[in-house]
Every structure is written in structure tokens, then in C-alpha cells.
Amino acid sequence: MRDFELQRSERIALCAIVAAALVFRFFRLAHQSLWVDEILSYKAFASVAGVPFWKKLLYDMHGPLYSLFMHFWSAVSESDFWLRTPSAIAGVLAVYALFRWFVEIGRRDCAIPAALFLALSPFHIYYSQELRFYAFLSLFAVLALIAFERFRADPTARSGAILGVAFAGACLSHFSALFLGAAFVVYLVCSGRFRGSHLRYGAMAAAIALLLISPWIYREIWFLRQIHVVDISTLPVGERLRGELTLSRWS
């Protein structure tokens, strides 16, 4: 781990950037009502009579970690501001985490500009104000990057376990984070580190992540096995997905 002792100018700049990130992400947070995607997120974590929450969570392939957190968070209040607050907080924390990652990889000269760029990014601000899983994904992805850098520098059981948990957190925020895991493997292979302690404890990290996300992997395999492909042309027009406009070989 790199020396994280900040100079006075760095502390002032970082505090100003984090403060700006906080302001931009909480500014008019509840100005607009929930839109359709946010309502879908709400339905994923809201309690429904007769449906166990754990079952709903298992069917959530778009951010089960976010839904789990929001299930308990929403017990306090269901106002738009309150429901969007976790995303705003995650967005602010991602700004600080990005600064920390650049320090970890030895690019201290880029840490402040990178944090400022993310703090002022219109895209990141937008998604940090939504009742969606994107802000959680960005935060856990950067945390996984930090954990991977520490694992790369010192491959131990501890750093491997932390990497596995951080990567699982990113995957459970959204399964597109699996591409990040693929990037980790490619880096280790291309840098000649895919052996020895890196391979041994990297496999442990992968096993931990796989264990944590395994319920959703099993659920998806079960779901895919229930799919039956049929010849659309044999179905009544009313039952076809797009009727005669379906652009496929089954039309």
C-alpha cells in the first residue's frame, strides 16, 4: 500500500472536491418524481404480501445488493429524497475512492484531477441521483480496483479475501462487473503474475466471489433451462412478440 500521508494542499483540494460532489449530488435530489426505471427498482425491494423478500431478491438480476440494502433503508421512509439518498452518498464516496485508487497505483499526480473529473461528471451526478444501482456499482468497482492493487502488490490470504469480497460487492451491485474480473485475470496473465502466490490467492479470491454470487448464478441457470424456443410462425399472430414485424428467421 502506498504512503497515504496527504500534504496540506492535497487535503484542502480533496475536501473541496468531496464537498462539491456532495452539493451536486444532493442538489434538488427530490425535484423530480420517480420515473419508470426507478419504480422498477422500488418494486424489487418493496415488500409484497404473500411473497417472501428473499425470493424476490433471488430473482433480482439487476443489483441484488442494492435491493437488499434498500429493503431495510426504505423501512424508515419512502419519500423520494430518502430513497435516493443512498445513491447520492455512494456517488460521493466513489469520488473519494477514486482519489485513493490513484494514490494506491502510484499516480498521485492524477489523483486530484481524477477525483475532480468524477465529482463534476454530469453522467455520474445523474446516476447518483437515481433510485437505481448504478452509484453502488461505481463505488464497489473502484473499491475492487483498490483491493486488486493491494493484492497485486502483496498477494496474501488477507488481500485475496478482501479482493474477493470487494469484487463480489461489485458483481452484486450489477453483474456487468464480471467484466472487471476478466480484466483482472488478463492483467495478471499479461504481466507474468499468473503464478505462485498471485495464482494461489487469486483463486481463493475468485472462490470467495463465486460463493457469494452463486445463488444468482444457480437461479439464472435454472431460468435459462426453462426457456423453450418455439417457431414463432406457428403461433397465433396475437401471441407473437412483434407479430409480422419480428425481424428473425422465425418470422
Side-chain angles (χ1 to χ4, degrees):
M1 183 173 63
R2 305 276 179 172
D3 178 23
F4 197 68
E5 185 66 30
L6 298 181
Q7 298 178 0
R8 184 172 182 273
S9 59
E10 288 179 317
R11 287 198 299 270
I12 293 174
L14 181 59
C15 287
I17 291 171
V18 171
L22 188 70
V23 170
F24 283 123
R25 281 151 185 78
F26 276 92
F27 178 67
R28 303 181 77 180
L29 187 60
H31 175 64
Q32 295 180 325
S33 59
L34 303 183
W35 73 294
V36 60
D37 279 12
E38 291 180 296
I39 293 174
L40 290 176
S41 290
Y42 172 81
K43 288 184 176 181
F45 63 75
S47 298
V48 178
V51 181
F53 173 68
W54 67 265
K55 189 172 184 178
K56 288 186 64 180
L57 189 66
L58 191 60
Y59 275 71
D60 186 354
M61 301 303 294
H62 300 282
L65 178 62
Y66 178 73
S67 295
L68 177 63
F69 179 87
M70 291 302 300
H71 177 71
F72 296 101
W73 180 269
S74 62
V76 177
S77 172
E78 291 193 353
S79 69
D80 292 354
F81 182 90
W82 181 254
L83 292 178
R84 287 171 173 159
T85 292
S87 292
I89 294 174
V92 175
L93 292 177
V95 171
Y96 173 77
L98 186 64
F99 171 87
R100 185 68 183 250
W101 179 62
F102 272 96
V103 173
E104 293 278 349
I105 64 175
R107 293 305 306 268
R108 205 181 191 102
D109 57 319
C110 297
I112 289 295
L116 179 62
F117 179 84
L118 188 62
L120 302 181
S121 168
F123 296 103
H124 197 261
I125 293 172
Y126 177 84
Y127 287 112
S128 295
Q129 291 190 322
E130 278 207 331
L131 177 59
R132 297 288 280 166
F133 48 79
Y134 300 111
F136 271 50
L137 173 61
S138 66
L139 172 60
F140 278 98
V142 179
L143 292 178
L145 286 170
I146 294 173
F148 179 75
E149 173 57 25
R150 294 181 178 181
F151 171 77
R152 184 200 65 81
D154 183 24
T156 63
R158 182 175 183 272
S159 63
I162 293 174
L163 173 59
V165 172
F167 177 61
C171 290
L172 292 176
S173 295
H174 193 272
F175 286 102
S176 60
L178 287 169
F179 290 104
L180 183 60
F184 291 159
V185 173
V186 170
Y187 173 83
L188 291 176
V189 171
C190 293
S191 63
R193 292 183 172 88
F194 201 62
R195 52 188 172 81
S197 297
H198 282 98
L199 179 57
R200 182 165 58 255
Y201 295 120
M204 185 189 76
I208 291 173
L210 184 62
L211 178 65
L212 292 174
I213 68 176
S214 60
W216 289 270
I217 295 176
Y218 174 79
R219 156 71 181 86
E220 190 64 13
I221 293 174
W222 178 87
F223 173 77
L224 292 174
R225 291 182 65 180
Q226 307 308 306
I227 296 177
H228 300 285
V229 179
V230 298
D231 187 344
I232 295 179
S233 63
T234 64
L235 298 176
V237 174
E239 295 183 17
R240 300 179 187 180
L241 181 61
R242 296 178 183 172
E244 296 298 336
L245 295 180
T246 302
L247 301 178
S248 75
R249 64 186 179 87
W250 297 305
S251 298

